Amino acid sequence: MIASDVELGDGVVLCQPDLINLYGCRIGSGTRVGPFVEIQKDVEVGSNCKISSHSFLCSGVALEDGVFVGHGVMFVNDKYPRATAAEGSLQTENDWTCLPTTIRRNASIGSHATILGGVTVGEHALVGAGAVVTRDVPDYAIVAGVPARVIGDARTKTDSVRHETSEYVMNL
Ligand SMILES: CC(C)(COP(=O)(O)OP(=O)(O)OC[C@H]1O[C@@H](n2cnc3c(N)ncnc32)[C@H](O)[C@@H]1OP(=O)(O)O)[C@@H](O)C(=O)NCCC(=O)NCCS
């Protein structure tokens, strides 16, 4: 279901749109979204991102350009969730605080990672498969585990980052 209030940039590819749930979000040009993905209202997705199947992007999430989201990635925006408000009726939007999460440009989130609300994942960072990210991740860091800890530097691993970093150093 692609709601009428969704804003799609040029060349956005929705793989099997009948199996994708998008509402109230904005998707930048050239981004690809896989099947069984749900993207909630007010989410901002940059250009040329890849969002793999079965991932859930809740309100409060912002992906900058070139972000990779693996399969089954879960974003979280409510740190202390409750079904009901104090008097027992179902909670409304006024009964909880939505925590914002930012994934900076060209970062990658491994499959089945969980990103808690209120964190920023730095540019070109790599989040390992299955990690639970509870704190900010520095630019270029590789993090893994539960809770996620820094285990390496992405500049030593992927050609695209090495190339961009060496160009940057040459231009200094
Ligand atoms: C996190 C990651 C980038 C690390 O790669 P790397 O830097 O080459 O690390 P290594 O494989 O050399 O492993 C280093 C250590 O971290 C551990 N490790 C690697 N990935 C891990 C993960 N996801 N969770 C927990 N520990 C992990 C290894 O077991 C190893 O531990 P050891 O030193 O005690 O043996 C990679 O393993 C990963 O998870 N990539 C994401 C892949 C993915 O989800 N792709 C999505 C689409 S297919």
Side-chain angles (χ1 to χ4, degrees):
M1 192 270 302
I2 315 298
S4 56
D5 56 359
V6 170
E7 289 180 41
L8 298 177
D10 292 340
V12 168
V13 177
L14 304 176
C15 310
Q16 298 183 262
D18 47 328
L19 300 176
I20 294 173
N21 258 351
L22 306 182
Y23 41 97
C25 56
R26 191 153 10 148
I27 316 268
S29 57
T31 284
R32 296 178 67 88
V33 180
F36 302 105
V37 166
E38 174 153 338
I39 305 181
Q40 290 189 314
K41 71 175 174 134
D42 302 328
V43 170
E44 300 270 349
V45 175
S47 300
N48 298 326
C49 295
K50 280 189 182 172
I51 303 174
S52 309
S53 69
H54 300 92
S55 287
F56 173 63
L57 280 67
C58 54
S59 298
V61 168
L63 309 186
E64 294 185 351
D65 295 344
V67 166
F68 175 89
V69 175
H71 301 274
V73 171
M74 289 292 142
F75 288 87
V76 166
N77 60 9
D78 185 3
K79 190 162 186 181
Y80 306 107
R82 294 287 185 206
T84 57
E87 79 286 359
S89 60
L90 279 178
Q91 276 197 354
T92 68
E93 285 189 358
N94 301 325
D95 296 315
W96 64 283
T97 305
C98 180
L99 297 171
T101 295
T102 302
I103 312 298
R104 297 259 182 245
R105 68 183 186 103
N106 298 119
S108 295
I109 313 296
S111 292
H112 215 269
T114 298
I115 314 294
L116 290 189
V119 305
T120 295
V121 174
E123 49 187 71
H124 290 281
L126 261 174
V127 174
V132 176
V133 176
T134 59
R135 296 183 190 287
D136 290 352
V137 174
D139 294 350
Y140 297 101
I142 299 174
V143 300
V146 180
R149 298 285 184 234
V150 175
I151 64 163
D153 185 323
R155 284 168 288 203
T156 66
K157 298 290 176 181
T158 49
D159 286 343
S160 59
V161 176
R162 270 200 298 272
H163 178 67
E164 190 172 306
T165 310
S166 57
E167 273 185 356
Y168 169 74
V169 171
M170 283 165 66
N171 289 335
L172 283 178

